Amino acid sequence: MISRPVYGVLEPRPGAVHLIVADGEGAKAVADLVSKDPSILHKSHILYTAGPNGTDQWDSINALGAKQAQKAASIPTLLFRLARVLQDAPMGAQVYLTGTEGLMGQAERDVMALGFPHADIQKEHRGSTMRRVQCVHCKGITENVKTDPFPCSHCGLHLFVRDHYSRRLAAFQGVNIDAEEKGHIPPAVERFK
Amino acid sequence: MSLDFKYGFDDFFRDETYCDDFTYRNSPAAIRRFPFPFDRDDYMYSVNMEPHVAGRKGSVFEHTFDVDEHYLSEMRDRARVLASDPLRCQSLPHMTLAGWDLLELIMETKAREYPQWFSLAKDGNRWHWINRPLGIDQKFTFLDESTLPYGPMEYISRQTQGDFTLQDEREGTLWVDAGMVTTQADWSLDFNIGMNFHEWHAPVPLAHEKGIFDRALKFLMKLQQGSPVRRYNWTMTVNPLLDTAPETYPDWGHMRTALTPKNMGHMMHLRVELQTLYRLPRSNAICFDIRAYLGKFEELVTVPKWGRRLHRVVRDLHPDLAAYKGFLRNRDEMTQWLSQYDDGQPTSPGWWPED
């Protein structure tokens, strides 16, 4: 799928500061990153929250000994702090995102809004593949979509997940599946875990 | 300050609707000039671009921006769509200058090509625009947004047939960062705005593998000011709906199930997009104009060559394309209906009615 972001493996790069954003199983990717160059730790600021599937590895993040680290209660509360931290990010700051697509997409959106080219933001996917989907009809976003189709959490229409991703919205596109024949809704299949 | 239209419907400009009772139709003269997009009896993607230069008199290529008998009703339909969903027109903050470029291009061109309907007088940056069919008489200051009732792109595209997107060029690609999109074939500006060229084309089947988009992007990046280009695209639309947006799909999708052999000729429309691309002078942005023409099957088959050819194209189209264009469900019935107008005779090359 062409509009979907490409995820790689986090690699330490020289930088004035290292801003690391992770959720759930992303904690392991952060540990792998740091193990490649432990010297980045004293210039690192880590923002972490539990994954949508409940995975919470805050203890391993906290034990790394980064210059600053915070556990946020949720992705939205993590993004509040990220917005403030980004205001002070100097030229040469390195940005690392890891964990679920929803977390990485929203953090990338906020970082890009400050002028970072998306190609300079490193991303590594870990953990859940559940999707963040925007209903193209009511514009509401449903988090942690597991099945296709699924009911929009705002307007209730049954949506299929089109393979089309917007970086600006950090979301896939959901389109009504029974618009042509009302009530003809195929059984939901678990596509994202 | 507002933009209030005084619609000058007359013997030429038709008073018709694109929703509810669907009174849209083409006059015999409009059928003869319909931009039939098939120059042969089969269809597959190609980078089918050519210079957008003045073409045959009376055809949709005669003028840069074709103004036809549907102009006023189309503008009324656009105002209706925007009133129900303002997100159909958006412009990211860095695109305002490109909007002024577009306004200038359209006003200058229409005033030159259709002096009976449009006029533009300039005194430095103090401009005076008259649009007689829509009853507009506007004095404003070029490049000063506060002197118009809308931003420049929205102001001029509320008065111009066709959807418009404005592409910023950076990082070696094009970014769709502004647009007026109310006559689209099932794509969402609100979702796509901010995407680059390959991202917004992601859902199109087969074409990526054929390298179509790589080549098209290379071509467009070299587009020069003053040398616009054009191509056709097409799909099928049940009922004369200009607005087939994904946003409103639950409102119009069910119409696809209402087709019968009896109503096929009246309800099924060949939807042709005359797409033109212009490099803009100040912003270096690229303007993409997507002008939709709707032709009823019963209108098109009055031209014998088109009846034969449309039957063969629909019958033989790759099923992935029929699915993407949204008519796989009805293809067999469409083929059946069209076959009445195909006597098996050979057709002449090219898209004109007879050559």
Side-chain angles (χ1 to χ4, degrees), chain A residues 112 115-121 167, chain B residues 94 168-175 177 194-199 217 221 284:
Chain A
M112 280 169 54
F116 278 78
H118 70 83
D120 289 355
I121 302 167
R167 249 195 277 271
Chain B
H94 60 283
D168 192 29
E169 180 176 328
R170 60 181 192 275
E171 298 175 38
T173 186
L174 300 172
W175 302 80
D177 285 344
M195 289 190 188
N196 70 34
F197 190 81
H198 282 82
E199 287 172 343
L217 178 61
M221 299 284 279
N284 198 43

Side-chain angles (χ1 to χ4, degrees), chain B residues 130-248:
Chain B
I130 295 175
N131 178 336
R132 290 180 195 88
L134 283 170
I136 296 166
D137 186 317
Q138 177 82 48
K139 291 178 174 152
F140 65 100
T141 305
F142 186 65
L143 299 177
D144 180 352
E145 274 184 279
S146 68
T147 60
L148 284 177
Y150 295 102
M153 176 190 72
E154 179 166 359
Y155 179 78
I156 197 60
S157 57
R158 279 177 178 264
Q159 306 175 43
T160 308
Q161 290 165 279
D163 282 347
F164 288 87
T165 64
L166 300 177
Q167 278 67 227
D168 192 29
E169 180 176 328
R170 60 181 192 275
E171 298 175 38
T173 186
L174 300 172
W175 302 80
V176 55
D177 285 344
M180 165 66 90
V181 179
T182 67
T183 67
Q184 70 279 56
D186 199 14
W187 70 277
S188 167
L189 173 74
D190 183 55
F191 192 79
N192 286 16
I193 191 169
M195 289 190 188
N196 70 34
F197 190 81
H198 282 82
E199 287 172 343
W200 88 69
H201 286 113
V204 183
L206 305 179
H208 291 275
E209 295 80 348
K210 291 176 185 291
I212 295 280
F213 293 120
D214 294 332
R215 281 180 282 144
L217 178 61
K218 267 190 184 169
F219 182 90
L220 291 178
M221 299 284 279
K222 292 184 167 28
L223 190 63
Q224 298 291 309
Q225 194 206 334
S227 304
V229 296
R230 68 182 170 224
R231 68 179 288 261
Y232 279 140
N233 197 5
W234 66 277
T235 185
M236 297 284 176
T237 303
V238 177
N239 283 328
L241 284 161
L242 278 177
D243 174 37
T244 49
E247 276 82 356
T248 50

Side-chain angles (χ1 to χ4, degrees), chain A residues 111-133:
Chain A
V111 174
M112 280 169 54
L114 285 167
F116 278 78
H118 70 83
D120 289 355
I121 302 167
Q122 292 193 59
K123 290 165 293 216
E124 179 171 346
H125 182 250
R126 294 279 182 121
S128 169
T129 60
M130 290 188 285
R131 287 187 171 182
R132 186 177 142 85
V133 182

Side-chain angles (χ1 to χ4, degrees), chain B residues 39-71:
Chain B
D39 63 349
R40 65 195 72 188
D41 287 355
D42 53 59
Y43 174 81
M44 182 34 86
Y45 294 128
S46 59
V47 185
N48 50 337
M49 280 194 263
E50 62 177 21
H52 184 43
V53 292
R56 196 178 280 202
K57 193 162 163 40
S59 76
V60 301
F61 299 138
E62 182 180 358
H63 300 102
T64 309
F65 297 100
D66 181 41
V67 178
D68 68 8
E69 64 185 24
H70 309 295
Y71 176 44

Side-chain angles (χ1 to χ4, degrees), chain A residues 2-3 117-118 134 136-137 139 157 162-169 171-173 175-176 179-182, chain B residues 87 175 186 188 190-193 195-196 198-200 202-203 208 246-247 249-250 253-254 256-257 329:
Chain A
I2 290 112
S3 58
H118 70 83
Q134 189 206 38
V136 76
H137 313 293
K139 308 296 181 187
L157 284 176
R162 191 176 265 181
D163 269 345
H164 201 19
Y165 182 86
S166 163
R167 249 195 277 271
R168 189 182 65 90
L169 300 167
F172 290 84
Q173 187 176 66
V175 181
N176 188 200
E180 302 194 8
E181 291 177 272
K182 274 279 169 252
Chain B
L87 293 173
W175 302 80
D186 199 14
S188 167
D190 183 55
F191 192 79
N192 286 16
I193 191 169
M195 289 190 188
N196 70 34
H198 282 82
E199 287 172 343
W200 88 69
H208 291 275
E247 276 82 356
Y249 180 43
H254 64 89
R256 288 177 172 169
T257 63
R329 157 198 300 281

Side-chain angles (χ1 to χ4, degrees), chain B residues 36 236 259-270 295-304 306-312 314-315 330-343:
Chain B
F36 191 76
M236 297 284 176
L259 277 177
T260 65
K262 270 193 93 148
N263 64 26
M264 178 72 67
H266 187 67
M267 273 181 82
M268 187 52 102
H269 295 72
L270 176 62
K296 296 177 186 294
F297 271 22
E298 67 188 13
E299 294 171 343
L300 299 173
V301 298
T302 62
V303 177
W306 293 352
R308 294 183 186 109
R309 181 164 289 170
L310 190 57
H311 169 246
R312 296 167 198 179
V314 169
R315 181 191 61 197
N330 292 312
R331 194 230 292 245
D332 290 348
E333 289 74 18
M334 291 157 69
T335 305
Q336 185 68 35
W337 190 90
L338 288 166
S339 68
Q340 309 169 72
Y341 300 93
D342 185 357
D343 56 9

